[in-house]
Amino acid sequence: MRIVIAEDSVLLRAGLERLLDWAGFEVVGCAGDAERLLALVEEHQPDLAIVDIRMPPTFTDEGMRATLTLRQRWPEVAVLVLSQYVEERHATDLLTRDTAGVGYLLKDRVADVESFIETLRRLGDGGTALDPEVVAQLLVRSKARNPLGELTERELGVLSLMAEGRSNYGIASKLVISESAVAKHVKSIFMKLDLTMTDTDHRRVLAVLQFLAP
């Protein structure tokens, strides 16, 4: 089986490559970011891609968004999302489509090498592999999702100050944190409220409107 690895951690990427080589797989390419992953898949047309979710430049959901693109362009390529996190927003999109050849495992819950290798072979044959924790979190989300309820206390504080019309500098001064920290909180708020960047909408205003809605 020919495999592409997308993992920003150099040590983990090298470890996976050695493990797969030892198990008899052929690693045809390794990527440290999502853009490189898509280029490798287009170039090599592998049987399977192993993808981390959080990758450069923002380390939020680049890998998951690349996975959705990969499945849309090359549905014959199996994919294993291997992450420390459950990225609920895009995971729902991934798992409500054709799940043949789709896997989502949490790194910390992979029990042993043999079962991991077996999972890769199953995905390559068109099977599915989902961590029970991933399924549980998605079920809870599908039953009752309150986007504002997903914000942390700090993010709610930032959003409250956004509603007062404060800039990132103003929020940073009020909360006694750095502007870069405020920018990270704002980015996380946009992601949790499912506000994607467009040329026609102002995400800061839309976030505040959701916050103020009765």
Side-chain angles (χ1 to χ4, degrees):
M1 186 188 306
R2 302 169 71 252
I3 297 178
V4 162
I5 300 170
E7 167 61 60
D8 64 284
S9 167
V10 174
L11 289 178
L12 183 53
R13 192 167 66 230
L16 275 172
E17 185 174 9
R18 289 193 178 189
L19 172 64
L20 297 179
D21 181 66
W22 167 81
F25 297 108
E26 180 185 359
V27 178
V28 295
C30 292
D33 58 62
E35 185 176 351
R36 178 63 178 156
L37 162 66
L38 295 177
L40 286 174
V41 171
E42 183 173 29
E43 178 182 356
H44 296 287
Q45 299 290 306
D47 301 300
L48 184 144
I50 300 175
V51 185
D52 188 15
I53 289 179
R54 299 188 177 184
M55 303 183 76
T58 69
F59 296 95
T60 53
D61 61 354
E62 286 86 349
M64 180 59 86
R65 286 188 282 115
T67 298
L68 293 173
T69 300
L70 189 159
R71 291 291 291 177
Q72 185 176 29
R73 293 183 185 174
W74 302 284
E76 71 281 5
V77 177
V79 61
L80 172 62
V81 175
L82 186 61
S83 176
Q84 289 180 296
Y85 312 95
V86 180
E87 206 294 305
E88 298 176 5
R89 184 168 55 115
H90 294 309
T92 302
D93 294 336
L94 177 67
L95 299 176
T96 52
R97 302 179 184 183
D98 180 8
T99 56
V102 173
Y104 194 146
L105 300 180
L106 299 181
K107 291 176 181 176
D108 293 340
R109 290 168 54 91
V110 174
D112 54 66
V113 171
E114 287 75 15
S115 64
F116 180 67
I117 297 301
E118 181 184 338
T119 296
L120 297 182
R121 298 192 190 285
R122 185 165 72 252
L123 291 173
D125 291 335
T128 302
L130 299 177
D131 188 292
E133 180 64 25
V134 174
V135 175
Q137 291 198 31
L138 293 182
L139 282 175
V140 170
R141 174 189 172 90
S142 66
K143 287 180 178 177
R145 180 174 185 264
N146 176 11
L148 289 172
E150 296 179 9
L151 302 185
T152 64
E153 184 176 349
R154 175 64 86 186
E155 290 166 349
L156 284 171
V158 169
L159 185 53
S160 175
L161 292 170
M162 286 169 57
E164 294 178 9
R166 294 178 184 270
S167 65
N168 282 6
Y169 175 78
I171 295 171
S173 300
K174 183 74 175 180
L175 298 179
V176 195
I177 57 178
S178 67
E179 274 193 79
S180 62
V182 173
K184 288 182 180 177
H185 289 312
V186 171
K187 185 177 295 182
S188 179
I189 290 169
F190 290 158
M191 185 177 69
K192 290 180 179 178
L193 298 186
D194 205 18
L195 296 173
T196 56
M197 185 179 296
T198 71
D199 294 331
T200 56
D201 299 320
H202 195 303
R203 291 188 294 175
R204 209 174 178 96
V205 174
L206 293 176
V208 168
L209 289 175
Q210 285 196 39
F211 178 63
L212 297 177

